[in-house]
Every structure is written in C-alpha cells, then in structure tokens.
Amino acid sequence: LTLQGAIPVDSTTAADSRQQARWVAVHESKQRGLSERTIATMLGISRNTVSKYASAISPPISRFGSLAH
C-alpha cells in the first residue's frame, strides 16, 4: 500500500547511492589529475557539486535519512 504523494523508502536509499557513487567518481577522477570542470562535464553535474564532493572527506549522507526508517 502506497500513500499518494508519499516518498517511498527505496527512493531515499537510491538517492544516497547515487550521491556516494558520484563522490567516489569525483575522488577517483581527481586522483587521475582531471580538473573539476572536466569532471563536472563527464558526470553531468555542476562544478560547485564537484568542488563540494572533492573537498568532502566522506560521501554525502541524506539529511532526510532518518525519515526513511
């Protein structure tokens, strides 16, 4: 049973997985010496997001994660 307009639990998990995958991709690309502009173009995300992920020590976690449990 799904309530209309409700956010399914799986969507939060999928969003977290995408963010973590992007974080990994950014860090791997930076280690290979690619510029943030090139990484942004390759991943289809903004340069600001690339910069944020590159400076983050760990992958991002959804701030709404507690709602899913």
Side-chain angles (χ1 to χ4, degrees):
L1 177 66
T2 309
L3 298 176
Q4 189 174 25
I7 299 172
V9 174
D10 292 343
S11 70
T12 301
T13 304
D16 286 342
S17 295
R18 272 193 310 276
Q19 287 182 327
Q20 290 174 2
R22 287 177 180 157
W23 181 86
V24 169
V26 167
H27 279 262
E28 288 175 348
S29 298
K30 288 293 285 182
Q31 286 180 343
R32 291 186 0 224
L34 298 176
S35 71
E36 291 184 1
R37 181 183 300 258
T38 300
I39 297 167
T41 301
M42 284 179 17
L43 298 178
I45 59 178
S46 75
R47 285 181 290 157
N48 289 341
T49 301
V50 171
S51 181
K52 179 176 73 173
Y53 285 3
S55 65
I57 296 170
S58 62
I61 299 171
S62 173
R63 59 187 169 159
F64 300 111
S66 62
L67 294 176
H69 299 289

